[in-house]
Amino acid sequence: MAENTKNLNFNTLTIHGGQQPDAAYGSVMPPIYQTSTYAQTAPGEHKGYEYSRSGNPTRHALENSIAAIEGGNFGLAFGSGLAAIDCVIKTLKPGDEVISTNDLYGGTYRLFTKIFEQYGIVFHFVPMGDAAEVAARVNANTRLIWVETPTNPMMNVVDIEAMAKIAKENTALLVVDNTFATPYLQRPLEQGADIVMHSATKYLGGHSDVVLGLLAVKDEALAEKLYFIQNSSGAVCGPMDAFLVLRGIKTLHVRMQRHCENGRAIAHFLVGHDKVDKVYWPGFETHPNHEVAKRQMKDFGGMISFTVKSGTLPDTIKVVSELKVFTLAESLGGVESLAGHPASMTHASIPKEEREKTGVVDALIRLSVGIEDEADLIRDLDQALASI
Ligand SMILES: *Cc1c(COP(=O)(O)O)cnc(C)c1O
């Protein structure tokens, strides 16, 4: 990242972190360098860019931004969150083992079990609420500990520092999928993680208009290893998408503040509602990992899951179908509020038995609370629940 932005606070880094006015005309926003290649004055003589898979100035601006806001030194941008995860797992060899959260994002679970298991990489899915349980699964082949926190959709919170300690003691790397929290709420590299991963499709982009993945790291040798894979496998993002995420990041802190405020109001509304059974939100003192959440997060975010009290599939489908301000859709983290039914949508690829063990029952609804007016969101939920 640019030296002159290192001492800035988070709310300034989102706007200026790692950014320089463009060298050509001083444009404040990085131009969208929609080009595959770059003119050379003599063979091998160029201005730092040869071919856009290997490097592109707009992508670099975004890579510098994610490094800055995550407190890292290097960033890498990919065509999707899953492409970023794919890059991390490709640092492993057959026989290497990964310990991962058991209530993992469905797409990550599918990539691990349906693609990488074929290549001899071994995955263990364990509940990470108890650090001792994770430590017990470590062996000589453990190379990575893969953490998602808060988890999707059960909103479990994993103690990043405790996981970092286990990783360090066993010369494994700790990777944190920071998609749900964003660096506004928690910065895993500062808590001992080696790699932070993002689906920037969600809060970082923030406007539901782009699919993109990011990694941030501190260590140069690790960054080089990841860059080698990024360039060799080629799952980079295009410059237009990099531009959109950069633009999104500039308002991240303001959006997150409102996501948190609205999330808090809705969590409290739901917990008192007679058609609602359980409400999963780490801000409640009764949440099993509330103390850890309070310690490692600045606030509790805009993601909430809850179950419909009757517990039936038809009632649950009715509630999500009756919503009018919330849109029934996959994904999360945009300015607009979304509702999802994990069992039939995001987590449909996980066998029913597996998903129910982690709490993803038919009656579960997941909300991505947007930044609309709080009263409108509450009224919408109230009328949808009244329909059953
Ligand atoms: C969406 C998501 C991903 C995958 O990212 P894509 O951009 O959809 O490829 C990974 N982890 C979490 C927590 C997600 O929400």
Side-chain angles (χ1 to χ4, degrees):
M1 73 190 265
E3 280 308 315
N4 62 353
T5 61
K6 273 208 163 155
N7 300 321
L8 300 171
N9 288 320
F10 185 79
N11 294 352
T12 312
L13 282 178
T14 53
I15 297 163
H16 299 290
Q19 305 303 303
Q20 307 284 4
D22 183 62
Y25 296 106
S27 75
V28 167
M29 275 305 281
I32 302 160
Y33 281 99
Q34 193 72 49
T35 186
S36 60
T37 190
Y38 306 81
Q40 306 194 3
T41 47
E45 270 178 44
H46 52 77
K47 296 180 173 163
Y49 298 96
E50 296 163 273
Y51 185 62
S52 277
R53 169 163 39 71
S54 312
N56 174 283
T58 318
R59 194 177 91 217
H60 272 166
L62 173 61
E63 291 174 333
N64 289 338
S65 171
I66 189 64
I69 64 176
E70 283 289 4
N73 297 314
F74 305 92
L76 298 115
F78 298 85
S80 69
L82 282 170
I85 299 171
D86 179 86
C87 175
V88 174
I89 304 301
K90 281 178 177 162
T91 61
L92 304 178
K93 297 185 307 299
D96 286 350
E97 299 194 7
V98 180
I99 300 176
S100 161
T101 24
N102 65 338
D103 57 344
L104 202 57
Y105 174 72
T108 310
Y109 180 84
R110 183 176 55 198
L111 177 64
F112 287 177
T113 57
K114 295 285 194 310
I115 309 284
F116 282 111
E117 275 184 1
Q118 294 185 94
Y119 298 104
I121 295 164
V122 179
F123 296 88
H124 303 279
F125 300 95
V126 304
M128 289 191 163
D130 182 6
E133 223 170 303
V134 177
R137 299 299 281 273
V138 174
N139 65 37
N141 296 325
T142 307
R143 294 288 172 273
L144 283 186
I145 298 182
W146 189 281
V147 167
E148 219 181 280
T149 182
T151 63
N152 175 30
M154 297 314 298
M155 307 308 297
N156 290 313
V157 174
V158 179
D159 187 336
I160 295 171
E161 281 177 3
M163 294 303 131
K165 188 161 173 282
I166 296 170
K168 294 274 165 325
E169 284 168 2
N170 295 281
T171 56
L173 297 185
L174 175 64
V175 191
V176 176
D177 180 337
N178 206 24
T179 300
F180 267 41
T182 83
Y184 173 83
L185 294 177
Q186 81 195 359
R187 278 180 293 284
L189 295 178
E190 291 170 4
Q191 293 159 342
D194 299 284
I195 304 176
V196 169
M197 174 263 146
H198 276 280
S199 170
T201 313
K202 318 294 167 54
Y203 286 105
L204 297 186
H207 296 74
S208 305
D209 53 10
V210 62
V211 172
L212 192 143
L214 293 169
L215 299 176
V217 301
K218 279 186 166 170
D219 182 69
E220 186 165 10
L222 180 58
E224 273 170 15
K225 201 167 173 180
L226 293 166
Y227 172 71
F228 182 81
I229 297 166
Q230 181 196 40
N231 188 37
S232 303
S233 285
V236 294
C237 63
M240 179 69 200
D241 290 349
F243 175 87
L244 286 171
V245 173
L246 259 173
R247 177 160 130 149
I249 287 174
K250 284 176 192 285
T251 55
L252 177 68
H253 52 296
V254 195
R255 287 185 286 110
M256 286 307 292
Q257 192 180 340
R258 181 63 72 85
H259 281 297
C260 292
E261 285 167 16
N262 283 353
R264 173 175 281 104
I266 286 173
H268 283 99
F269 162 76
L270 288 171
V271 90
H273 201 286
D274 61 3
K275 300 273 175 66
V276 172
D277 184 16
K278 297 196 176 72
V279 183
Y280 302 94
W281 179 67
F284 289 129
E285 272 174 31
T286 50
H287 185 284
N289 319 112
H290 177 67
E291 287 308 314
V292 178
K294 243 178 33 187
R295 174 156 44 78
Q296 76 187 15
M297 298 170 74
K298 179 189 170 87
D299 203 338
F300 304 108
M303 296 303 300
I304 301 168
S305 294
F306 69 97
T307 56
V308 172
K309 191 166 256 171
S310 74
T312 71
L313 184 60
D315 275 357
T316 314
I317 301 287
K318 180 107 166 83
V319 172
V320 290
S321 309
E322 286 294 323
L323 289 166
K324 301 197 166 55
V325 181
F326 280 83
T327 303
L328 176 61
E330 297 211 1
S331 199
L332 62 109
V335 290
E336 64 287 292
S337 292
L338 301 180
H341 183 242
S344 59
M345 296 166 70
T346 47
H347 289 58
S349 58
I350 301 179
K352 186 176 163 84
E353 251 171 65
E354 282 295 311
R355 69 172 160 81
E356 290 199 336
K357 262 193 260 171
T358 64
V360 184
V361 294
D362 287 346
L364 189 77
I365 294 171
R366 187 192 77 179
L367 302 179
S368 170
V369 178
I371 63 171
E372 301 97 331
D373 186 87
E374 174 189 308
D376 288 334
L377 297 179
I378 288 179
R379 207 171 319 119
D380 191 33
L381 285 165
D382 203 27
Q383 65 80 25
L385 286 162
S387 74
I388 53 170

